[in-house]
Every structure is written in C-alpha cells, then in structure tokens.
Amino acid sequence: MARIIVVTSGKGGVGKTTSSAAIGTGLALKGHKTVIVDFDVGLRNLDLIMGVERRVVYDFVNVINGESNLNQTLIKDKRVEGLYILPASQTRDKEALTKEGVQKVLDELSETFDYIICDSPAGIEQGALMALYFADEAIVVTNPEVSSVRDSDRILGILASRSKRAEEGLEPVKEHLLLTRYNPERVERGDMLSVEDVCEILAIKMIGVIPESQAVLRASNVGEPVILDENSDAGQAYLDTIERLMGNEVEYRFLSGEKKGLFKRLFGG
C-alpha cells in the first residue's frame, strides 16, 4: 500500500512545488516507485519544474472524468528510474477535483506505487483541501518569516480536523516541517526567524532545512529537480531530508553562516 504524502503550505511562493519535485525524485533515487501528483488545477507548475511540459497530453482531470486512463496520462521521468508525474489541467476549474474522483485515482495509483506525493496549491481552496484530505503524512513547507509560519499553523489545524483520517477517527496525519529559503546571516541580523523560533511556534517535528540558494532558481529554469544538483547546498539539504523521511538520523547542515576570515572582517565582503 502506498504512502500518500501531501506537500502543503498556507502561503504561496514558499517553494512547495520545488520541494515536491525534489522529494519525489529523492524517493525514486532510493529505489521507491514514486508518482508526483499536481493538484494545482488551473496553474500547473510541476511539469515545468520537472521539465516535462512538452510531454503533457492528458491530465489529472481527464483521468477523473474517464477521458483517459493512468497509463495514457502518467509521464515517466527520463532521468530517474521509477519516477512518474501526473500533471494538473491548465484549462479546468479547481471544482473539477471531487472526493470521489480523487479517491478513485489515488486508489488505482496505490496498487502500483510505493509513494504518492501530492503537490498541493497554497491556501485552503478546493485543490488544497483535496490534496490533504487523503494524506497519511504531510510535509508543511514554510519560510522563516512570521506570515508564512502563521499560515502554516492554520494548515496544521485543517490537517487535524478536515482530513479523512480525522473524519474517521484514525491515527492523525503524520506531520513534518520543512523550512525553506533559510539564510543564517539574515537570522543573525534579526531579519528572519531562526529554526528554533519556527519549531517553537509550530511544534511539529523538523524534517529539513533548505538554505536560500541560487541553485534552486537555476534548477527551475532548466526543468530539473534541484536534488539532482548534488554539488549545491540546496541539493544536499534535500538529500538529507529524504534520509530523515526514511527514518534515518542525519545531522543538520547549512544552519550557520560562513565564518569570515581576518581579511573579510577587516575590509567587509
């Protein structure tokens, strides 16, 4: 039976789709058959991040409506064995996602995949609620700023009350915190919340801290998940995150600023 993991946030622009792509890719690199499902009907960014936008013929809503089957619709990643993408529709309304339709698709995916990563739109509209409703686990993505953390707290409340597990009185959705765009120098200047601040406010287990990095933008521009850039700090941080998701203890990196030498301390830079 597949583990269904929703990647969610209260605020837009925090790196949710980048994280979905990296986490799905990382799990496939570990040998787990993985599908990343784009729930952002009407916008559809996952296929761009994954570099498969020209290969989209059918989409998630086509499958729900019986206009195509999964075999026709799933896009196989050419770089990583066992990785697939189920793209969202750009032309439909978010109301096209119904509980019955989404459950049917997820049940069918569960028969062949180890992990189903649900890339949720931001906020609490229909697409976001459908993405989190069936989740076994949730990765809550937040930036270290007050508004982002506050909105993430609201998402935690919805996970606790409006998921299928909550409705049926089952074990709660397992929650993980992923902190993105972390900049230790800005934390030291007081311009950004620290890891400790965010953990204290949200009170859920941290699974990863992704540093602010130009590598993320570069990866997005070329349509390649940043986790494949193993030389970048962001790529390494996502690899560490996958290890923790698998239950392994991995020391956190990139939490402190670069130590300046005497020359830099005297003359700046």
Side-chain angles (χ1 to χ4, degrees):
M1 196 68 178
R3 283 169 72 181
I4 301 176
I5 302 176
V6 63
V7 180
T8 184
S9 74
K11 192 171 183 288
V14 298
K16 198 164 43 292
T17 299
T18 294
S19 296
S20 295
I23 289 163
T25 303
L27 289 168
L29 287 169
K30 285 285 185 182
H32 302 287
K33 193 173 182 184
T34 303
V35 58
I36 314 172
V37 183
D38 190 350
F39 277 78
D40 203 355
V41 174
L43 290 177
R44 203 178 86 187
N45 287 316
L46 178 65
D47 54 307
L48 292 170
I49 299 289
M50 297 296 296
V52 299
E53 68 276 10
R54 293 177 185 171
R55 295 168 60 199
V56 176
V57 178
Y58 295 109
D59 57 55
F60 193 5
V61 176
N62 290 138
V63 181
I64 287 175
N65 292 342
E67 296 156 355
S68 67
N69 60 40
L70 282 175
N71 193 50
Q72 294 173 289
T73 309
L74 287 172
I75 301 171
K76 189 178 189 299
D77 190 86
K78 292 180 177 179
R79 295 158 298 209
V80 182
E81 186 66 31
L83 178 62
Y84 293 78
I85 297 94
L86 180 56
S89 170
Q90 272 188 317
T91 58
R92 309 292 182 101
D93 189 88
K94 288 176 169 54
E95 300 305 314
L97 298 180
T98 62
K99 279 185 184 176
E100 296 76 17
V102 172
Q103 177 153 25
K104 180 175 174 291
V105 174
L106 293 180
D107 286 348
E108 193 174 341
L109 290 171
S110 294
E111 292 173 11
T112 53
F113 286 93
D114 302 317
Y115 285 92
I116 300 172
I117 306 300
C118 301
D119 180 30
S120 170
I124 55 171
E125 41 76 16
Q126 179 75 357
L129 293 175
M130 285 298 99
L132 67 81
Y133 182 75
F134 296 98
D136 300 312
E137 302 183 40
I139 296 174
V140 180
V141 184
T142 189
N143 292 157
E145 56 179 60
V146 172
S147 63
S148 180
V149 173
R150 181 194 61 202
D151 289 348
S152 293
D153 207 17
R154 188 178 184 196
I155 290 294
L156 291 172
I158 291 169
L159 281 165
S161 60
R162 296 182 67 176
S163 66
K164 188 170 187 284
R165 286 178 167 270
E167 280 185 5
E168 296 179 356
L170 301 174
E171 188 177 331
V173 175
K174 189 175 182 181
E175 299 162 343
H176 311 282
L177 175 62
L178 181 64
L179 191 57
T180 54
R181 296 181 182 162
Y182 191 74
N183 185 318
E185 286 82 9
R186 291 181 64 192
V187 172
E188 287 173 14
R189 294 198 303 266
D191 298 337
M192 187 176 271
L193 296 175
S194 68
V195 169
E196 293 75 19
D197 292 334
V198 177
C199 287
E200 186 177 339
I201 295 166
L202 295 179
I204 61 172
K205 188 174 181 182
M206 180 83 74
I207 197 174
V209 179
I210 312 301
E212 201 168 46
S213 172
Q214 286 298 312
V216 173
L217 182 59
R218 283 198 305 272
S220 296
N221 286 338
V222 299
E224 183 170 284
V226 70
I227 198 169
L228 295 176
D229 183 1
E230 295 183 20
N231 294 321
S232 71
D233 48 4
Q236 293 170 38
Y238 275 116
L239 287 168
D240 291 349
T241 299
I242 295 299
E243 290 294 333
R244 296 188 195 98
L245 188 61
M246 307 269 64
N248 300 320
E249 292 288 331
V250 179
E251 188 175 347
Y252 280 91
R253 298 186 275 176
F254 317 114
L255 298 188
S256 56
E258 180 187 351
K259 299 293 183 185
K260 291 186 178 180
L262 177 61
F263 186 85
K264 280 190 177 180
R265 288 202 305 272
L266 289 174
F267 299 104

